[in-house]
Amino acid sequence: MEYKLILKAIGLEAERAKVKAWAVGGFARDRFIGKTTKDIDICVEGDTHSLIDFCVKKYGAEAKCFKAFGTARVNLACGLKLDFVRCRAELYPKPAALPKVRPSGLKDDLMRRDFTCNALALSIMPGEFLKEYDLFNSREAISKGYIEVLHDKSFVDDPTRLFRAVRFSARFGWPLGKNTERLFREAVREKRASLLSRQRIVNEFVKILREKCSYKALKLADKYGLLDFVFGNLKYGSKIDTLSTFEEKIALLSLMQGERGADFVSSLLLPKEGTALCFEVLKWREAKAAPAKALSAKAVKIIKLYKPAVEPFKLRPLLLKAEDALALGFKGGEIGSALKKLAKAQYRGKIKNKRAAVSFLKNLK
Ligand code: ATP
Ligand code: MG
């Protein structure tokens, strides 16, 4: 219950600073369905700085302030992550562009949100602590369970909402509302997602893969033709959800893409560390040879998941090392080429143990 005490204290500070504050978005939605989350979006009518300073001073919190508009992420030692934003109205100068914003009140701030289920606000002010501000039928959307946009231009303004829609729909098992489904199909038909930068599309795809129900979300995106904007003819399967990390999921997906595995991975614009596992499994498959170094446990897990019938000897590291070949009288460049041949033979199941490997090399002499 610590979060309540903290929100109450922030509410008191808001009153002192003569601003108003609400907990909104995912926190309000999840609380309504009986879940508490540690990520809380707090929107403030007025300046956010006094509330951010308060959290830093009172809780020794770490604050990262983002450029414009008094937006900050405040991390508290207890694990709460507070995102402060100033209430704003948004104007999209053209479809899929980043919006122009101006300070505004709660109503405009809720109006700019993606879906009605994410537009509930809970006051944190003294005297009305946790009072619901339901200006857009959020309670109905959450209790009946459906995903509905707030206005008909929503997907045109910001096509990342198409990806968010399938993600929330899969996560909660809530279908798209009738009007929203129509607008969704229209936005796909008009190729609205292709106006987004590659990075923004990839970010949404990554968020889908971070869900427990990625398969369901991908299937839904596929059903509506949205997946083509991520990677044409993407192959995927329900096995991805037996994996818990994003890193493992993309490694499995990279194998599933066959010849296009490496293209798929590069298309995700990930930092090098994030793709090591993908390239480990892809390299193993392309080489069709025993790996010189033992495969990591994660790589073995992914390969077995992809191909349960893989023979165990195909996963074993090379039985001999360069020093073994040297001891057998191989020199310089001969060593590498002899071990390469051994690696292929071992992968094909012709060499089962070290003794057989030694005699294989001797025969190459
Ligand atoms: P999660 O449980 O995945 O964190 P969330 O609803 O909190 O779900 P966030 O991505 O954390 O989603 O965003 C917080 C809130 O900001 C959302 O609830 C929504 O109101 C708003 N929001 C985020 N992205 C958009 C967007 N592209 N368009 C409109 N509103 C958005
Ligand atoms: Mg959130």
Side-chain angles (χ1 to χ4, degrees):
M1 282 298 119
E2 191 162 13
Y3 79 88
K4 277 195 184 170
L5 291 178
I6 293 172
L7 290 180
K8 252 188 188 158
I10 297 173
L12 275 168
E13 175 61 21
E15 188 175 58
R16 202 200 54 74
K18 299 194 170 47
V19 296
K20 284 188 185 164
W22 293 263
V24 292
F27 173 79
R29 177 198 67 218
D30 289 349
R31 191 172 173 279
F32 191 81
I33 51 183
K35 272 191 356 185
T36 48
T37 120
K38 296 211 150 204
D39 289 2
I40 309 181
D41 295 294
I42 297 179
C43 72
V44 182
E45 249 179 33
D47 193 24
T48 55
H49 287 96
S50 57
L51 302 188
I52 297 164
D53 289 348
F54 171 79
C55 290
V56 170
K57 285 198 190 112
K58 166 127 186 175
Y59 302 110
E62 241 179 52
K64 274 188 223 153
C65 296
F66 304 106
K67 297 168 276 169
F69 236 72
T71 305
R73 157 63 63 99
V74 176
N75 293 325
L76 273 65
C78 64
L80 276 192
K81 293 188 172 80
L82 308 178
D83 278 309
F84 285 94
V85 296
R86 181 171 189 162
C87 287
R88 66 197 53 193
E90 286 183 344
L91 179 78
Y92 286 82
K94 55 179 187 198
L98 293 176
K100 295 217 178 313
V101 297
R102 64 172 168 80
S104 189
L106 178 70
K107 187 163 186 201
D108 279 338
D109 196 86
L110 297 179
M111 183 71 193
R112 73 174 172 95
R113 289 174 185 270
D114 47 3
F115 310 113
T116 56
C117 62
N118 290 341
L120 184 63
L122 299 172
S123 172
I124 61 167
M125 300 305 287
E128 56 169 37
F129 188 67
L130 297 183
K131 178 181 164 193
E132 283 170 1
Y133 281 66
D134 181 15
L135 310 184
F136 296 99
N137 290 330
S138 304
R139 290 163 53 100
E140 186 189 298
I142 304 169
S143 53
K144 292 198 177 151
Y146 57 82
I147 309 287
E148 197 78 85
V149 285
L150 279 114
H151 57 89
D152 282 8
K153 265 187 73 215
S154 189
F155 292 132
V156 174
D157 283 345
D158 179 359
T160 64
R161 293 172 187 160
L162 296 164
F163 294 94
R164 294 178 64 85
V166 293
R167 185 156 60 84
F168 289 121
S169 174
R171 187 197 296 175
F172 296 113
W174 297 346
L176 305 188
K178 222 170 166 192
N179 188 41
T180 296
E181 187 175 29
R182 179 183 65 78
L183 296 167
F184 193 115
R185 288 188 188 281
E186 193 175 290
V188 171
R189 214 168 37 245
E190 291 171 353
K191 299 194 171 24
R192 296 285 173 185
S194 64
L195 296 174
L196 296 168
S197 67
R198 181 69 194 157
Q199 191 62 61
R200 289 183 78 197
I201 292 180
V202 165
N203 291 347
E204 295 305 319
F205 182 60
V206 169
K207 284 188 203 160
I208 287 178
L209 294 186
R210 291 200 191 282
E211 297 281 331
K212 288 199 180 85
C213 56
S214 306
Y215 173 66
K216 217 167 137 191
L218 293 178
K219 224 166 74 167
L220 212 53
D222 201 8
K223 170 180 142 187
Y224 290 117
L226 185 64
L227 219 44
D228 286 339
F229 296 93
V230 176
F231 192 72
N233 200 16
L234 183 84
K235 304 274 185 291
Y236 60 94
S238 57
K239 282 179 186 175
I240 55 169
D241 288 338
T242 63
L243 298 167
S244 51
T245 67
F246 161 73
E247 180 204 17
E248 292 174 325
K249 287 184 186 182
I250 45 164
L252 179 60
L253 285 175
S254 71
L255 280 178
M256 287 178 167
Q257 306 317 307
E259 295 285 287
R260 302 191 307 150
D263 288 346
F264 165 70
V265 180
S266 338
S267 79
L268 299 181
L269 314 172
L270 296 166
K272 217 168 162 197
E273 338 54 278
T275 57
L277 184 59
C278 295
F279 285 113
E280 187 183 1
V281 294
L282 288 176
K283 195 172 149 198
W284 168 83
R285 190 183 52 193
E286 266 160 45
K288 293 197 167 25
K293 236 178 40 186
L295 291 166
S296 67
K298 276 186 184 172
V300 170
K301 177 165 95 173
I302 303 297
I303 293 167
K304 283 186 173 163
L305 196 57
Y306 173 62
K307 207 173 171 191
V310 65
E311 298 92 332
F313 60 77
K314 292 199 164 159
L315 299 167
R316 274 184 78 179
L318 195 55
L319 288 158
L320 298 181
K321 297 197 167 26
E323 0 357 332
D324 301 313
L326 198 66
L328 288 168
F330 288 85
K331 291 192 189 76
E334 293 170 3
I335 298 178
S337 70
L339 290 180
K340 241 185 195 163
K341 285 181 188 152
L342 174 65
K344 296 259 178 207
Q346 189 186 313
Y347 181 88
R348 289 199 294 268
K350 293 190 173 154
I351 313 289
K352 297 259 162 48
N353 53 41
K354 212 162 171 175
R355 209 157 39 129
V358 169
S359 61
F360 178 87
L361 282 200
K362 278 183 181 165
N363 280 335
L364 288 180
K365 268 282 186 198

